[in-house]
Amino acid sequence: MPRAGTPLTGSGQASRRGFGFARARRSVDRAGMETSKGQRKHERHDPCLLLGVRDARTEEHLGAVANISRGGLKLVGELPLGIGTARALVIEVRAVFADLEDLTLEAEVRWQRAVEPAGTWQNGLEFTRPLPREAEPILTELLARLEE
């Protein structure tokens, strides 16, 4: 008798072809979250500094950047932001790099995770494409400086 959940072929034998058994190679990212190999589209930059993030519409402080890339960021804050929620963000770049403007852009919450025992939340946000014309050079320069 086959194991529960094993699809049967016409002969009653489990088949690895045509039933979605192809397994994605899995890995664990720096935060301990399992991801598919090759899933990362952009190199992450971990700022060893505090880049605050606030809601562009309400001015509410949302948290701080844990890492950032051309495609999105990981935000650490006190609250979950709600998976699938669209957010207008202001990344407070000017507080750290006085010669750069704050970065304002739209993003969508892709994942969230409670961090115990700290009582904080990690939220993964993907920047909406295309980036606003004025945001592109600021993001490019920010990433270049974080690489140094």
Side-chain angles (χ1 to χ4, degrees), residues 42-118:
H42 306 283
E43 181 181 352
R44 302 291 191 264
H45 298 276
D46 300 328
C48 297
L49 44 89
L50 186 62
L51 286 175
V53 179
R54 67 181 188 274
D55 186 291
R57 295 180 182 105
T58 66
E59 295 295 315
E60 173 189 14
H61 177 75
L62 299 175
V65 174
N67 70 41
I68 188 168
S69 73
R70 184 159 297 288
L73 62 85
K74 178 166 63 173
L75 177 77
V76 177
E78 294 180 7
L79 300 171
L81 299 180
I83 295 172
T85 305
R87 294 284 184 150
L89 304 175
V90 177
I91 302 171
E92 298 168 340
V93 176
R94 191 172 195 134
V96 179
F97 299 110
D99 60 322
L100 293 178
E101 295 296 319
D102 287 343
L103 186 56
T104 303
L105 40 73
E106 299 280 331
E108 182 178 335
V109 180
R110 293 299 194 174
W111 59 266
Q112 60 191 30
R113 176 178 45 229
V115 179
E116 298 298 332

